[in-house]
Amino acid sequence: MTLALAEAEAAFARGEVPIGAVVVLDGEVIGRGGNRTRELNDPTAHAEILAIRAATNAKASERIPGADLYVTLEPCPMCAAAISFARIRRLYFGASDPKGGAVENGVRFYQSPTCHHSPDVYSGFAETESAAMLRTFFRERR
Amino acid sequence: MTLALAEAEAAFARGEVPIGAVVVLDGEVIGRGGNRTRELNDPTAHAEILAIRAATNAKASERIPGADLYVTLEPCPMCAAAISFARIRRLYFGASDPKGGAVENGVRFYQSPTCHHSPDVYSGFAETESAAMLRTFFRERR
């Protein structure tokens, strides 16, 4: 989660919403990313999506069972579904996102019958730091 | 929708799940794509995601309000959320997807309070052709 926080800090420095993600397989980082939606003009360039795409590319497979994903904020429906499609084993996230989350909030995708693979979910890691960074970012933008 | 079907046919020919999508703005096609999850080793490379990324890239903006998306199958949660984030105006889709859809089935994302932009949704376009192509694909794979 320390690496995910570093990715979030780097996103902040680039003027992007500060969220970071890391994918780990067998103790090795195989993908990492921070938000780049503005830089790339790409609404899908969330931290999790970039980290997953890097990881599946590194493993030359669209599925990476056994891999774990660490992300500083609760995933949105787009990222929650991508995590499912990639067959991520465990999801560790930081702050909860009542406004946009899709794991413990909103549509709770992993509890839907249309979800065909659910990761084990662990939340609250580095929650304070993750949430503080987001608050600072949005306060500065106002 | 004819162009989306052509993208689905091209995906079929590449050995990918035959789904195609097209983004149109002011009568002009600004993005198109067919499934490439296998070819790209990318679980996020759904037709809609590739079409949206092409469109937002073409317009140099992460949001393309006023643009409409045509896709041969009901979007999954990943794509439904990406459509929302891109501020797509109208969503036209072909076949309904009770197993994996997130618009009229499953989590019905656009009806969630965590969805902050919903496109107008029109369904059933070229439903028969879209569904037949998918059935043929999965029958041949068995």
Side-chain angles (χ1 to χ4, degrees), chain B residues 12 24 26 29 43 47 49 67 74 79 135:
Chain B
F12 192 123
V24 175
D26 299 331
V29 172
I49 298 288
E74 178 182 353
C79 296
R135 267 196 309 274

Side-chain angles (χ1 to χ4, degrees), chain A residues 67-125:
Chain A
D68 302 328
L69 187 140
Y70 297 78
V71 57
T72 56
L73 186 69
E74 179 182 354
C76 73
M78 177 176 75
C79 294
I83 287 164
S84 172
F85 298 155
R87 302 292 188 270
I88 296 284
R89 179 179 60 173
R90 294 185 192 129
L91 164 64
Y92 299 88
F93 72 81
S96 181
D97 185 4
K99 284 188 194 163
V103 178
E104 294 181 346
N105 291 285
V107 300
R108 293 177 175 76
F109 176 55
Y110 300 137
Q111 285 153 51
S112 166
T114 55
C115 174
H116 308 296
H117 166 83
S118 303
D120 295 328
V121 177
Y122 306 89
S123 60
F125 295 86

Side-chain angles (χ1 to χ4, degrees), chain A residues 21-89:
Chain A
V22 173
V23 177
V24 175
L25 179 65
D26 299 331
E28 188 197 351
V29 172
I30 58 168
R32 52 197 296 169
N35 246 334
R36 289 186 187 269
T37 59
R38 291 182 176 188
E39 176 191 339
L40 301 179
N41 291 315
D42 179 355
T44 77
H46 284 192
E48 301 95 311
I49 298 288
L50 297 178
I52 288 170
R53 291 176 60 203
T56 54
N57 186 55
K59 292 293 156 189
S61 167
E62 59 174 301
R63 293 178 180 178
I64 41 174
D68 302 328
L69 187 140
Y70 297 78
V71 57
T72 56
L73 186 69
E74 179 182 354
C76 73
M78 177 176 75
C79 294
I83 287 164
S84 172
F85 298 155
R87 302 292 188 270
I88 296 284
R89 179 179 60 173

Side-chain angles (χ1 to χ4, degrees), chain B residues 33-71:
Chain B
N35 246 335
R36 289 185 187 269
T37 60
R38 288 180 178 191
E39 175 192 340
L40 301 179
N41 291 315
D42 180 356
T44 77
H46 285 192
E48 301 95 312
I49 298 288
L50 298 178
I52 288 171
R53 290 176 60 202
T56 54
N57 187 55
K59 291 294 157 189
S61 168
E62 58 174 302
R63 294 178 179 179
I64 42 174
D68 301 329
L69 187 139
Y70 297 78
V71 57

